[in-house]
Structure formats: structure tokens, C-alpha cells
Amino acid sequence: MERLGERLGQRSAARLDTVLRHLCPRLAPAAAPVSFVDYTLDNDLLTTEQRQFYEDNGYLLIKKLVSDEDIERFRKEFMRICKREVNPAGVMIMKDESLKSQFGQSEKVVNKVQDFQEDKELFRYCTLPEVLKYVECFTGPNIMAMHTMLINKLPDSDKQTFVHPMHQDLHYFPFRPASRIVCAWTAMERADQDNGCLVVQPGTHKTTLKPHGYPESEGKSNKLFHGLLDEDKKTPKVHLVMEKGDTVFFHPLLFHGSGINKTSGFRKSISCHFASSECYYIDVKNTSQEHLEKELEEMVRKKYNMISVELKDIWNFRARLVQGQRINL
């Protein structure tokens, strides 16, 4: 209804402008205003060019946003989690079990720390003022941190164990509207094609949510690393080469993924999906997200030895207010 009201208001303004110019012909035609009504909100931070780029492409890269000092603190906390010096409640640690006997508990085994909302040090990322001021341009002032990850892309092989196929993040989220959700993804060291940087397909955020599943072509898939079942190979891809501290903000419908790490080192990044607290939960039954709901609920039941759990409960546990008021989520 708000969008309809905006359009009616724009039409009324246009009609009024036409009438005034008929009544006073000497009035010069008004310059056509730049209209941003879909993916960004009015703000004093983004330039007109930055807003237009996000509207057109579905992502925006901000150079050197997060300090080296903060990144090193996140790195140290990640190492502590790998060594099990700390064990935050609710955190999900994803490992390559085949490497455990060789390297034990270390960063050489752990490829992702997910749901770190109970880890005060890592969760600081979600509260950084320099990050939130950009997030607010997409979500508005009432901001929830919904989903957190620190990814440690391990050196890979021809098996492509740690490739993440092209996907849309909205596939994982049972809340809407999509336009008030944004991901902040910060490189903790240089990310390029050699170590598996992010790959995006600009403009795909303007599409609908597509069916996802485990790629049949892969020999091995990581748990919950779903991909598009019908990817358009003709859509151009952009490799986001980023330096330490660079941060990309992107829409949850944007097609994106990452390749393998062909180096001997590690490619770390830290990210959070933010949403306006005015967003609302939806029922994903009888939708393309239903099979994900069942898989996630089963995983949580096994981890916490629960008889039953609902998807909304899982997200309520993860979600944290980081700015403004908590309204729906």
C-alpha cells in the first residue's frame, strides 16, 4: 500500500507540474528527479551514484570500511574457537573432518563459524557504527542482526570441496520483504580469483526467488550449501576483488557464490545479514523453501537433542537487535 501511495503521489505531482506550466508558460520544465523507490532508502550517506549503482546491480562495495585492528581481533577470536579455548552457545562450527586426524583442532580444519551471536567479540562486527550507518541505508533505523558467519575458505583441490555454488540468500530466510534485508560481507584479507573471492551476477536482485538444492554435478557438497537449480550461465559474472577491510553490501536476491581456494593459505571473511525489525515472518510450507526448513529443523533437533522445533523459533534465537526498536522479528 505504501508503494502504491508513493506512485499516486508521484503522478499527482507530475499533473500539478503540467498544470502550472500551462498556466505560466515561461516556467522552465523541471529537471527530472532521480527516483529511488525499490532497494535503497533516503539517506545522507550514499551518493546519487552509489544509490543508482545498488539499484541497478544489487550490490555496493565500500573500500577499507573496517579497521585492521578490528579484523585482527576477529581473527584471534576465530583461532580461539578453532582451538576450543572458547565455546560460544549456539555457534555452529563446520569442519573438513577428513583433515582432523592430520591437523587436529586448528584453522586448517574449520571452514566456517556460523551463528556467533553469543560470542561477544565476533558479534562486535554486527554493531560497528561504520557498518551500521551503511546498513541503515537499506533497512531503515530499526536494525536486526539475523545471521552471522565467519568463513575460512580452506585450500582446495580438484574436488572443489569448498566451492559455494551460485545462490540467493533469500532462499535461507523466512522473513520479508526482501528489499529491507541486506548482507554486509567484509574481507579479512585480500580476496581474489586465486583464493575464491565472491562472484556476483549484477542485476539478478530484480528477479524472484528461484528453486535451490544441492548441485548434482558436484562430487561432494557442504551441508546447507544450496545452489540454484537452474542457473542462467549466460548472465555475466563479476569477481569482487577486495582488500582487507573492504566491505560489500548486497541484496538477498542477488545471484552470488564463490570458487575454490587455489592457494596454500586461507581466505577469511566475516559477514552478517541484517534486516529491518519491521520485517515479518512468513510460512514457507508449500514453497521452494520448504525442503530447507525440514533440513534445518532436523539439524537443530539433533544438535540440541530436541523433540521438535519450528523454523521461526530458530530465527528468534539467532536474531539480535543492534539499533533502534525491535518490532516484529
Side-chain angles (χ1 to χ4, degrees):
M1 289 298 293
E2 291 180 358
R3 180 66 52 81
L4 179 60
E6 289 175 2
R7 290 174 179 170
L8 290 174
Q10 290 168 356
R11 291 172 185 168
S12 298
R15 286 197 298 269
L16 177 60
D17 182 68
T18 301
V19 170
L20 288 175
R21 281 190 283 113
H22 277 299
L23 293 174
C24 189
R26 286 179 295 176
L27 284 177
V34 179
S35 177
F36 304 104
V37 296
D38 293 321
Y39 307 110
T40 60
L41 299 171
D42 288 340
N43 63 85
D44 297 325
L45 179 63
L46 299 183
T47 65
T48 299
E49 291 74 20
Q50 286 175 321
R51 288 189 72 179
Q52 193 64 62
F53 188 90
Y54 189 89
E55 294 279 337
D56 293 340
N57 297 281
Y59 69 95
L60 180 65
L61 178 60
I62 304 297
K63 304 293 289 185
K64 205 64 180 172
L65 184 63
V66 179
S67 70
D68 290 352
E69 178 184 0
D70 278 324
I71 287 175
E72 289 312 305
R73 288 179 60 175
F74 300 145
R75 189 189 309 276
K76 288 180 181 178
E77 183 69 1
F78 171 73
M79 299 296 285
R80 293 180 68 207
I81 292 174
C82 290
K83 297 175 183 178
R84 291 190 174 181
E85 294 176 3
V86 291
N87 185 26
V91 71
M92 182 183 297
I93 302 174
M94 299 185 179
K95 310 173 186 176
D96 185 340
E97 295 293 345
S98 66
L99 299 174
K100 191 173 180 179
S101 60
Q102 182 179 358
F103 299 112
Q105 302 292 337
S106 73
E107 69 170 338
K108 297 181 179 180
V109 176
V110 178
N111 67 300
K112 183 188 289 188
V113 172
Q114 184 169 293
D115 301 334
F116 55 68
Q117 67 277 348
E118 297 293 340
D119 185 286
K120 292 183 179 179
E121 184 60 30
L122 290 184
F123 193 72
R124 279 196 325 105
Y125 173 77
C126 306
T127 65
L128 292 176
E130 58 267 37
V131 172
L132 289 180
K133 69 179 183 180
Y134 279 96
V135 170
E136 186 173 347
C137 298
F138 309 104
T139 64
N142 301 311
I143 306 174
M144 300 291 296
M146 300 299 295
H147 184 236
T148 53
M149 291 188 296
L150 193 155
I151 297 172
N152 182 47
K153 188 177 279 287
L154 305 177
D156 216 329
S157 63
D158 292 337
K159 294 181 181 179
Q160 299 190 12
T161 306
F162 303 113
V163 68
H164 198 159
M166 300 300 288
H167 63 283
Q168 298 167 292
D169 286 338
L170 192 66
H171 167 69
Y172 295 95
F173 304 151
F175 43 90
R176 300 291 189 275
S179 58
R180 298 285 76 87
I181 303 168
V182 70
C183 178
W185 192 102
T186 298
M188 294 177 63
E189 52 232 331
R190 178 179 169 84
D192 53 34
Q193 292 188 55
D194 289 334
N195 62 8
C197 64
L198 279 180
V199 181
V200 299
Q201 292 182 289
T204 50
H205 66 302
K206 298 178 182 180
T207 64
T208 58
L209 180 60
K210 307 296 183 183
H212 289 61
Y214 288 111
E216 296 180 0
S217 59
E218 305 292 343
K220 179 181 179 182
S221 298
N222 284 329
K223 193 73 172 175
L224 293 178
F225 275 35
H226 294 174
L228 292 162
L229 294 180
D230 187 21
E231 179 189 348
D232 184 359
K233 303 290 185 179
K234 296 179 182 179
T235 304
K237 294 181 180 179
V238 174
H239 290 80
L240 296 184
V241 176
M242 300 169 63
E243 301 296 338
K244 182 179 179 181
D246 291 356
T247 302
V248 62
F249 297 88
F250 59 91
H251 191 279
L253 283 171
L254 182 73
F255 294 6
H256 68 286
S258 63
I260 66 172
N261 179 1
K262 295 176 284 187
T263 72
S264 58
F266 305 92
R267 193 227 70 191
K268 291 182 179 63
S269 62
I270 187 168
S271 68
C272 178
H273 284 89
F274 296 92
S276 166
S277 72
E278 297 174 46
C279 288
Y280 51 87
Y281 287 106
I282 64 168
D283 186 353
V284 301
K285 287 181 173 56
N286 300 315
T287 73
S288 63
Q289 295 177 263
E290 184 173 15
H291 67 101
L292 171 70
E293 175 186 39
K294 294 177 180 178
E295 185 176 358
L296 186 58
E297 289 176 350
E298 180 183 0
M299 180 183 296
V300 171
R301 283 197 300 269
K302 287 182 178 180
K303 181 176 181 178
Y304 296 104
N305 195 27
M306 302 173 69
I307 298 176
S308 65
V309 64
E310 294 185 0
L311 189 60
K312 184 178 178 180
D313 296 330
I314 297 172
W315 283 100
N316 277 331
F317 174 75
R318 288 172 166 170
R320 294 290 185 275
L321 180 70
V322 291
Q323 182 179 292
Q325 296 180 326
R326 189 166 190 170
I327 298 173
N328 294 325
L329 295 182

